[in-house]
Amino acid sequence: MAEKTFELAPPLDAEIGAKLVEVAGTDEFGLLLLDTAAQIAGVDELFGYLVVDGSEPRPIISRSFLSGVNERVSKYMHQFYQHDPAVREISRTKTGDSFVQRIKLSDIGPYDYREQCFTKPGFTEKMSYGWRGSGYILVISFYCTGTSDQAALIKLSSLANLTLAIMVKRHAPIDREGFIETIKRRLKRSYPTLTPRENEVCSRSIAGQSAQQIATDLGLSNGTVLTYRQRAYQRFEFSKASDFLPAILD
């Protein structure tokens, strides 16, 4: 049987946590996450994914010190996902609950799955942490070629909790267009001198979209989006999208 961990986790180094939040959404995030996990519990590889109810799992992040990670991710997603003992734990988790499971090599049943995703790269165990939201599940798994002691695994859970919070913020499915429409109405109320395009660009910036995402959604060039945004900021002597928030949150 796969082992569960119930001990309370010690707090994560605050400076590392702040840095992870700061670089979320960049390539540096995965590298820093893997390096931190390696220092805490000898982690050699990590993999995170999203499952929206009724759909196939979608990879979010994968980083490894070992070769062949892309091949392992592909095989896991398309061949072995349903054979993962963590998936059984997921199925029993209620909305608004989290789960954690320690999975050892001996817990993996199908030979192909064990061979391709554990034996071949040399993994002896993985720790899977997850969160079930409304209509979706987010999972982050840490793979080790050695055996981490219990104290290290408990500390790893602090890192996993922060990682899941970041994943929820960036990847949990929401009614984004409805959220953006609400921001647009509030910007129009509080900043009526914004042009329609400036309002549209600033609303999407406040909602967390990058200039490239906004350009794609609105059918504009990246440079045009940046121009609209900069004009709006300059009109109110703002330096970033969040400067609009105090007025529209009233």
Side-chain angles (χ1 to χ4, degrees), residues 21-68:
V21 172
E22 178 185 345
V23 301
T26 71
D27 288 341
E28 188 179 353
F29 176 76
L31 298 174
L32 179 59
L33 181 61
L34 178 58
D35 185 61
T36 304
Q39 293 182 45
I40 289 174
V43 170
D44 298 283
E45 185 168 301
L46 61 84
F47 173 50
Y49 61 89
L50 166 71
V51 181
V52 177
D53 288 358
S55 68
E56 296 293 320
R58 178 170 66 85
I60 290 176
I61 182 174
S62 64
R63 291 291 185 276
S64 182
F65 293 129
L66 308 177
S67 61

Side-chain angles (χ1 to χ4, degrees), residues 113-128:
Y113 177 28
R114 186 170 65 250
E115 178 68 18
Q116 295 296 321
C117 294
F118 281 81
T119 304
K120 188 174 180 180
F123 297 133
T124 58
E125 63 181 13
K126 75 169 179 173
M127 289 293 297
S128 288

Side-chain angles (χ1 to χ4, degrees), residues 5-244:
T5 303
F6 296 98
E7 290 86 346
L8 293 176
L12 181 68
D13 182 301
E15 292 183 356
I16 292 176
K19 183 64 175 177
L20 283 166
V21 172
E22 178 185 345
V23 301
T26 71
D27 288 341
E28 188 179 353
F29 176 76
L31 298 174
L32 179 59
L33 181 61
L34 178 58
D35 185 61
T36 304
Q39 293 182 45
I40 289 174
V43 170
D44 298 283
E45 185 168 301
L46 61 84
F47 173 50
Y49 61 89
L50 166 71
V51 181
V52 177
D53 288 358
S55 68
E56 296 293 320
R58 178 170 66 85
I60 290 176
I61 182 174
S62 64
R63 291 291 185 276
S64 182
F65 293 129
L66 308 177
S67 61
V69 60
N70 292 335
E71 181 182 4
R72 284 191 291 279
V73 168
S74 178
K75 288 184 176 181
Y76 176 84
M77 303 302 288
H78 297 106
Q79 299 179 42
F80 305 132
Y81 169 70
Q82 294 297 337
H83 299 295
D84 188 345
V87 174
R88 294 193 291 272
E89 185 70 17
I90 291 170
S91 68
R92 294 191 289 265
T93 303
K94 298 179 180 179
T95 299
D97 282 349
S98 58
F99 66 86
V100 55
Q101 193 168 37
R102 183 180 187 180
I103 299 168
K104 297 184 178 181
L105 178 63
S106 57
D107 298 320
I108 305 300
Y111 173 79
D112 286 350
Y113 177 28
R114 186 170 65 250
E115 178 68 18
Q116 295 296 321
C117 294
F118 281 81
T119 304
K120 188 174 180 180
F123 297 133
T124 58
E125 63 181 13
K126 75 169 179 173
M127 289 293 297
S128 288
Y129 303 83
W131 169 261
R132 178 182 279 279
S134 179
Y136 72 92
I137 293 168
L138 282 163
V139 178
I140 181 72
S141 294
F142 299 96
Y143 294 78
C144 302
T145 55
T147 301
S148 301
D149 61 37
Q150 193 71 2
L153 293 177
I154 294 171
K155 191 171 183 180
L156 183 65
S157 66
S158 290
L159 180 64
N161 289 337
L162 175 61
T163 303
L164 285 170
I166 292 171
M167 290 168 67
V168 167
K169 179 177 175 60
R170 296 194 61 83
H171 300 285
I174 61 172
D175 181 8
R176 188 170 295 278
E177 289 303 317
F179 179 46
I180 291 171
E181 287 300 317
T182 298
I183 297 174
K184 286 169 63 177
R185 289 194 299 271
R186 294 192 176 195
L187 275 179
K188 186 175 181 179
R189 177 200 68 192
S190 300
Y191 299 96
T193 59
L194 287 172
T195 68
R197 273 304 194 194
E198 289 170 349
N199 182 306
E200 185 85 52
V201 168
C202 290
S203 296
R204 291 176 180 275
S205 297
I206 293 168
Q209 289 191 329
S210 67
Q212 186 58 60
Q213 288 174 313
I214 297 170
T216 300
D217 287 352
L218 301 183
L220 303 172
S221 70
N222 193 67
T224 299
V225 169
L226 294 174
T227 297
Y228 280 128
R229 193 164 66 183
Q230 191 61 33
R231 286 177 181 172
Y233 291 177
Q234 289 176 345
R235 185 172 302 127
F236 302 103
E237 298 184 352
F238 290 164
S239 61
K240 54 189 181 298
S242 60
D243 290 338
F244 287 103

